[in-house]
Amino acid sequence: MQRTGVRSNNYTFPFVLKACASESLALQGKLIHGEVIRTGFDLDVYVEAALVDMYAKCGLVDDCRKVFDKMSKRDLVCWTAMITAYNQAERAKDALILLDKMQQEGLSMDSIAAVSVSSAVGQLGDSKMAKSVHAHVMRNGFLKDLCVGNSIMAMYAKCTEIEKARLLFNWMEERDGISWNSMLSAYTQNGQASEALLLFDQMQASGATPNPVTLLIMVSACAYLGSRQHGRRLHNLIIDSKIELDATHWNAIMDMYAKCGELETAVEIFNCSRPGEMGVSSWNTLISGYGMHGFGKEALEIFSQMQKEGVQPDHITFTSILSACSHAGLINEGRKCFADMAKFSVIPEAKHYACMVDLLGRAGLLIEAYDLIKQMPIQPNDDVWGALLLACRIHGRTELGEIAANNLFQLEPEHAGYYVLMSNLYAASCKWQEVGKLRHDMKSRGLRKTAALSVIEVGKEVHGFHTADQVNPCWREVYREVERLANEMKMAGYVPDHECVLDDL
């Protein structure tokens, strides 16, 4: 068109910019923007709107905002495009600030804007704002729109309002794959994997067809429960469904089997893969599997093998191998792996330092662990200090534990577990005054440690129970059996180690 001498106008540019937006052609889009300015169409309302849309879909949020701020007239579509751009760039606060400005100018969000706004609220985890968005959607009758219903449900899930998400799911007259996946993901990501399995059964009974995303979510749920029965059942379903799986799915299945105690099956899946099919993530999964079962030497062999096959280790590889060395007590090997990170151009992150502190701490090398923290080129996070505090609790190092705890109380002041851990360290040293102070601090902050949950699989059912639990209908029989086992252990000469028993706060 240009070569023939035909000049572009305010009708041409929106179509060309739309083409750039659809293919995320940022460079070409900028060149067109330059042509728009050169030809004097930069103040045309339709061209401005097309530029905002193009920059938004290309992920160039700041450039998008510059055009947006210069617009002579903004309609709801432009506001929505800008809000969506912020949301997709994970700048949720900016998205909601812009929403407030839009409302001040007398515009109200429509169903399309509601989808972006609910996603932004979900990113922030703001339950109060979530209720406000839900109310607006209901008042305007947008909830009948499937996309809006799915987005509101996902918003509640990200705000950990799982009951509200489920109520909305139950209310929906129409559900698609996204609806089912959102609810399944909500349960799985919030530690309610058993509920996810029940809902998955309901999904199949309803005639809805699981897709590859559904299978990933359910594999994660089975891994969380460590249920062999459900894991094998799901694997068989995947095979029967003949859904084409990629490396991500096979890695998830390998990880599931490792966490369900079937490391041999995970290794078999890895060995049956075609050459070149498994990338670094697959090797990482296998190393992690060996590590979580305490097979540190085997993990090191896999680590060596992957290098021989030309697979470059990444930051996850080193997290997995350092963790494996820690669990197996391989101190020198762990030190070497940590030193080798530079050889592979992998910069140590906080998680790698946390693994090293855990490795040294378990071995009783607490001074070396503390020196490593002091030498860190980055700010130690709660994982690093938490590893040191746990080591201090194991080895009864109160003074060093106080240093770790004080840092943790600043980083995570609402984390009850750290208060409990330090309180038990004080209790082990008979420092009851300090124990009382920590308990008072917890009460004044309204903190209470979340009860730990143990899980056991019996037949086809997975049972969970807490300390002193009396919810399970068979609790009396369970306690009688525990008492019987305790008596047998005493008769066999076992002497309990009370030092590792934590006080209940």
Side-chain angles (χ1 to χ4, degrees), residues 414-456:
E414 304 301 313
H415 195 303
Y418 297 137
Y419 288 87
V420 174
L421 201 55
M422 191 62 217
S423 175
N424 282 284
L425 179 54
Y426 279 138
S429 305
C430 298
K431 295 188 175 183
W432 303 112
Q433 189 173 353
E434 282 78 3
V435 171
K437 287 179 182 177
L438 279 180
R439 289 186 176 185
H440 179 266
D441 286 346
M442 285 185 70
K443 287 180 181 177
S444 63
R445 290 175 178 271
L447 301 178
R448 187 169 181 82
K449 186 177 180 293
T450 304
L453 178 72
S454 295
V455 177
I456 186 170

Side-chain angles (χ1 to χ4, degrees), residues 247 250-251 254 269-283 311:
W250 287 118
N251 292 342
M254 283 168 55
I269 291 171
F270 182 87
N271 290 336
C272 288
S273 62
R274 291 188 294 272
E277 189 176 51
M278 296 297 193
V280 65
S281 296
S282 306
W283 290 92
V311 180

Side-chain angles (χ1 to χ4, degrees), residues 326 357-366 386-398 401 421 424-425 428 497 499-500 502:
S326 178
V357 170
D358 184 58
L359 169 72
L360 298 168
R362 285 172 187 256
L365 303 171
L366 276 78
L388 183 63
L389 179 58
L390 182 59
C392 291
R393 169 69 185 90
I394 293 168
H395 297 285
R397 298 291 296 272
T398 308
L421 201 55
N424 282 284
L425 179 54
D497 179 8
E499 285 190 7
C500 58
L502 301 181

Side-chain angles (χ1 to χ4, degrees), residues 258-273:
K259 288 176 178 173
C260 290
E262 293 201 20
L263 182 59
E264 300 85 358
T265 307
V267 174
E268 185 181 341
I269 291 171
F270 182 87
N271 290 336
C272 288
S273 62

Side-chain angles (χ1 to χ4, degrees), residues 12 17 59-60 97 181 234 273 290 295 325 341 369 387 394 414 433:
T12 311
L17 289 167
L60 301 173
I97 290 169
N181 289 345
L234 181 65
S273 62
Y290 275 118
F295 299 131
C325 290
M341 291 179 72
I394 293 168
E414 304 301 313
Q433 189 173 353

